[in-house]
Amino acid sequence: MTHLLTRRLTMRPVLIEDFGDIADLWANERFTRPIAGRGALTTEEVWFRLLRDLGHWSALGQGNWSLRMRDGGAYVGSVGVLDYRRGCVPPLDAPELGWGVAPAFQGQGLAREALDAALDWCDRVLNAPRTVCMIDPPNAPSLKLAERTGYRPYAEGTYQDKAVILLERRAFGA
């Protein structure tokens, strides 16, 4: 499984040992509200998310990377190349990029650093002509980050009966 290093981050596929850090993050409503549109996730929900992430790497050779600071190892969040087979309208028809950084680390450019590394990996290894992402319209920071990394809106959609913005990014050189 792929490990990536950036200037400040270690990115490695999620491990069972990450559960406590992931559970703490998803218990933080400042994190969950813009991403999931709701309050904290239960421990059970986080456990199933972790199992899904472990299976992603095992079955598809891609998935969520845990982001940790190279200096000290603090858990920052995750970025991933995903195939969740979401019931989105219109359907997502390319690898999906997703990301989330703990509130304590937001505003430091870490999400951009991780997303740039993941997109570089997609361009070099995955050979997908494009990737997509789905963002809740009020999530201005994620929309801004998506735009800065080359994503452009291609459709307004719905996911779980909520409006979402679907964005796409052409692979470098595609």
Side-chain angles (χ1 to χ4, degrees):
M1 289 189 267
T2 301
H3 290 70
L4 304 174
L5 290 176
T6 71
R7 185 172 64 82
R8 297 178 290 172
L9 297 169
T10 298
M11 299 170 57
R12 63 154 172 71
V14 67
L15 298 172
I16 201 86
E17 293 83 6
D18 294 324
F19 177 69
D21 290 325
I22 295 169
D24 288 346
L25 181 60
W26 284 95
N28 184 331
E29 191 169 326
R30 285 182 49 217
F31 178 78
T32 60
R33 184 73 51 200
I35 294 174
R38 57 170 274 197
L41 271 62
T42 67
T43 302
E44 179 182 5
E45 289 171 311
V46 174
W47 179 250
F48 285 130
R49 290 180 74 86
L50 176 67
L51 294 175
R52 174 191 67 190
D53 290 344
L54 291 167
H56 232 82
W57 280 104
S58 190
L60 302 175
Q62 66 190 46
N64 268 317
W65 284 278
S66 285
L67 309 176
R68 293 196 177 269
M69 295 299 294
R70 288 178 73 168
D71 184 19
Y75 182 77
V76 173
S78 67
V79 66
V81 182
L82 315 165
D83 180 1
Y84 288 158
R85 311 249 170 144
R86 295 185 192 270
C88 183
V89 177
L92 299 178
D93 60 354
E96 176 186 358
L97 268 284
W99 58 86
V101 170
F105 293 100
Q106 291 175 3
Q108 300 175 35
L110 294 167
R112 170 72 189 261
E113 194 171 314
L115 187 53
D116 282 345
L119 289 168
D120 178 65
W121 180 84
C122 285
D123 291 348
R124 288 181 302 102
V125 177
L126 199 57
N127 295 317
R130 68 190 259 277
T131 57
V132 298
C133 64
M134 174 177 63
I135 301 176
D136 188 20
N139 191 343
S142 280
L143 287 167
K144 186 176 177 181
L145 176 58
E147 181 180 338
R148 286 194 324 255
T149 56
Y151 281 95
R152 300 291 175 259
Y154 72 91
E156 293 179 3
T158 56
Y159 178 64
Q160 296 179 341
D161 298 321
K162 295 178 191 167
V164 291
I165 299 171
L166 302 179
L167 302 101
E168 66 182 349
R169 175 192 172 270
R170 298 282 169 197
F172 183 73

